[in-house]
Amino acid sequence: MRKFGIKVAVGLLAAAGVAIGGAQLLTANRKADTAASVDIHDRRLVEAGAYIARTGDCVACHSVPNGKPFAGGLAMQTPVGTIYSSNITPDKQAGIGNYSYADFKNAVQYGIRKDGTPLYPAMPYPSYAIMPDADVQALYAYFMSQVEPVSQASAASTIPWPLNMRWPMAWWQQLFAGKRQFAAPAGADEKLVRGAYLVEGPGHCGACHTPRGLAYQEQALSMADGDAFLSGAVIDGWRAKSLRGEAQGLQSWSAEDIGMFLKTGRTDKVAAFGAMADVVEHSTRYFTDGDIASIAAYLKRLPAVNGKLAAFPPKTDSTTAALRDGRYDSRGAVIYMEQCVVCHRADGQGMPRIFPALAGNSAVYAQNPQSIIQITLEGGKMPANDTDAMAFAMPGFKHLSNRDVTDVINFIRTAWTNQAPVIGDNDVAQIRDFLASKKPNIVAGGNHE
């Protein structure tokens, strides 16, 4: 028996050695083989890089509110712990100041840190992999010459051992983030090709809007990979809506609606919230009109996900008249009149570009209720933009009981012409617990406790 135990131990050690050694070989083979040098003071290259950094939304993930741009510290919740974005300023000790262009390319496109450590896929290198060398070189020139160095240490994740071991990520990268090139959609014109590239590549829309598999991999990196692409996902407790052409996706949005939303974070009906508000404020509002139009055109081209409802059946609004007549036929209706009606009005239409509508708002009638629960509990703030003079905020309603929140959300999701499934008290309780357990951002230092 003892000999058997020794054989098992030796076997396990040998297997671990093969796995770790194999991971090191995979990382070595994955690294870019480039000796290219980049003139980081080339004005045209730097200007191009500044715009590409906007299209890649680098600042939103690598900065915290009121913190230094690109200094990292943003807490990103994952199912196994919190990951903090790293310092990507050109500080030589805390940031990427000692990175060569090859080091930078390895990190951005292949998920390998300068010291050879594989990066977690919270960094969207599977999307950045399709960016051309010219764009990555421009990005490098911008970061190295225009971004202010910040001496702020990057924080360790809260992922517990053994899940925090990095070497298995090399095998993950081999399976789910192979080197790839952009393939234009068949028959697409120049505008659609540009939109597809921005969505799949630097814009990394799929990183938030595509469901993840058991290994936290995006289930599809493009439409060619499968029907899951951009079909909606949950991230940081928010429901990142489906960007496909079904009823609870973008079926009811026009290309102009999508363009206005990306440019300002608002339409006459909806407003950006959560992580998407940061995306608009730091990234898409700076896109050229041509790029905005290209993205909108591409997204409107995407079909409904197989098996999902393409469009809601007609429904007559009986809610508005009932509320105006003082007929509150449910506890949710009473709470709505007490807490919500001043801004969102009896007809649920709110005020265009000031208070979002609740009737016909795709965030409200989404199949999954995470977003409407979280914004009801936590509140939200519209992103700043160059079109609207004021950015409005919604207060949180954490003081309401789970029962009250459930009742008012069920009223809103089924009132007017909305047709969404009802939720239960447990749904609210889960999001309340999630919010209470979220780790804070880090502004200075490397500790998160």
Side-chain angles (χ1 to χ4, degrees):
M1 188 67 184
R2 184 181 177 188
K3 288 184 178 179
F4 177 75
I6 292 173
K7 287 181 179 178
V8 169
V10 170
L12 289 174
L13 285 173
V18 170
I20 295 172
Q24 291 173 339
L25 285 175
L26 288 174
T27 299
N29 290 332
R30 184 178 173 83
K31 284 185 175 180
D33 182 19
T34 176
S37 61
V38 178
D39 180 1
I40 63 172
H41 301 295
D42 182 319
R43 184 176 58 82
R44 293 179 62 183
L45 203 60
V46 170
E47 288 177 356
Y51 182 71
I52 293 165
R54 292 291 191 191
T55 65
D57 195 26
C58 307
V59 70
C61 283
H62 287 276
S63 311
V64 300
N66 303 317
K68 294 282 189 180
F70 303 110
L74 187 73
M76 292 177 278
Q77 320 298 324
T78 79
V80 293
T82 302
I83 295 172
Y84 291 92
S85 62
S86 58
N87 183 336
I88 58 170
T89 72
D91 183 84
K92 289 188 179 299
Q93 280 72 47
I96 60 172
N98 287 319
Y99 275 49
S100 67
Y101 170 65
D103 296 331
F104 184 80
K105 181 177 175 66
N106 283 326
V108 170
Q109 295 197 284
Y110 306 133
I112 303 172
R113 212 163 59 188
K114 181 179 174 65
D115 64 2
T117 302
L119 298 175
Y120 292 121
M123 160 69 175
Y125 51 85
S127 300
Y128 293 159
I130 66 172
M131 293 171 65
D133 281 344
D135 284 11
V136 183
Q137 290 171 7
L139 206 56
Y140 179 74
Y142 167 69
F143 272 99
M144 290 304 181
S145 67
Q146 296 299 304
V147 173
E148 176 192 355
V150 180
S151 179
Q152 175 179 305
S154 297
S157 78
T158 66
I159 298 175
W161 189 89
L163 296 176
N164 65 349
M165 290 191 296
R166 291 294 190 103
W167 65 264
M169 288 306 307
W171 290 99
W172 185 95
Q173 291 174 343
Q174 177 72 11
L175 290 171
F176 303 118
K179 293 182 179 180
R180 65 192 188 99
Q181 293 184 325
F182 173 66
D189 60 18
E190 184 177 346
K191 181 178 181 180
L192 285 174
V193 170
R194 177 68 177 169
Y197 167 72
L198 290 168
V199 167
E200 292 180 24
H204 62 277
C205 304
C208 291
H209 291 272
T210 297
R212 302 265 177 168
L214 291 176
Y216 203 61
Q217 83 281 12
E218 293 173 51
Q219 292 184 8
L221 294 173
S222 71
M223 286 300 293
D225 290 340
D227 203 36
F229 187 57
L230 301 178
S231 63
V234 176
I235 184 167
D236 255 4
W238 297 104
R239 176 65 181 172
K241 69 185 276 90
S242 169
L243 304 183
R244 304 284 294 276
E246 66 255 11
Q248 288 162 320
L250 293 179
Q251 180 268 338
S252 62
W253 291 52
S254 68
E256 289 72 25
D257 289 336
I258 297 171
M260 183 58 71
F261 182 79
L262 294 174
K263 200 72 180 176
T264 68
R266 310 179 200 182
T267 70
D268 285 352
K269 277 192 173 294
V270 307
F273 53 81
M276 191 63 204
D278 293 335
V279 172
V280 173
E281 183 157 332
H282 298 294
S283 179
T284 57
R285 65 184 284 207
Y286 297 101
F287 285 15
T288 65
D289 291 345
D291 279 350
I292 290 282
S294 294
I295 291 173
Y298 172 69
L299 292 179
K300 283 304 291 180
R301 183 177 187 263
L302 301 181
V305 177
N306 284 330
K308 288 194 175 181
L309 186 67
F312 288 114
K315 178 185 175 185
T316 301
D317 170 19
S318 60
T319 304
T320 302
L323 294 183
R324 286 174 174 166
D325 291 346
R327 290 181 284 114
Y328 313 142
D329 57 3
S330 70
R331 189 160 174 275
V334 173
I335 298 171
Y336 181 83
M337 295 302 289
E338 292 173 344
Q339 307 286 345
C340 315
V341 73
V342 171
C343 296
H344 298 287
R345 306 304 169 99
D347 61 4
Q349 294 298 323
M351 292 291 290
R353 306 194 66 78
I354 297 176
F355 303 126
L358 298 180
N361 183 328
S362 55
V364 170
Y365 57 64
Q367 184 73 19
N368 294 296
Q370 289 95 336
S371 289
I372 189 172
I373 295 173
Q374 184 166 176
I375 200 168
T376 301
L377 291 173
E378 197 172 42
K381 182 177 179 297
M382 294 178 177
N385 66 75
D386 299 320
T387 302
D388 300 288
M390 292 183 286
F392 297 91
M394 171 179 156
F397 290 87
K398 284 181 180 175
H399 57 282
L400 297 181
S401 69
N402 289 350
R403 180 76 260 166
D404 288 345
V405 173
T406 301
D407 285 346
V408 74
I409 287 178
N410 280 335
F411 170 77
I412 291 167
R413 277 164 67 85
T414 57
W416 308 291
T417 58
N418 292 343
Q419 302 175 57
V422 297
I423 66 172
D425 291 0
N426 287 342
D427 295 311
V428 177
Q430 287 174 5
I431 295 296
R432 194 187 291 273
D433 290 344
F434 168 78
L435 293 174
S437 65
K438 283 177 73 172
K439 294 289 185 183
N441 297 324
I442 292 176
V443 176
N447 296 321
H448 43 66
E449 296 295 339

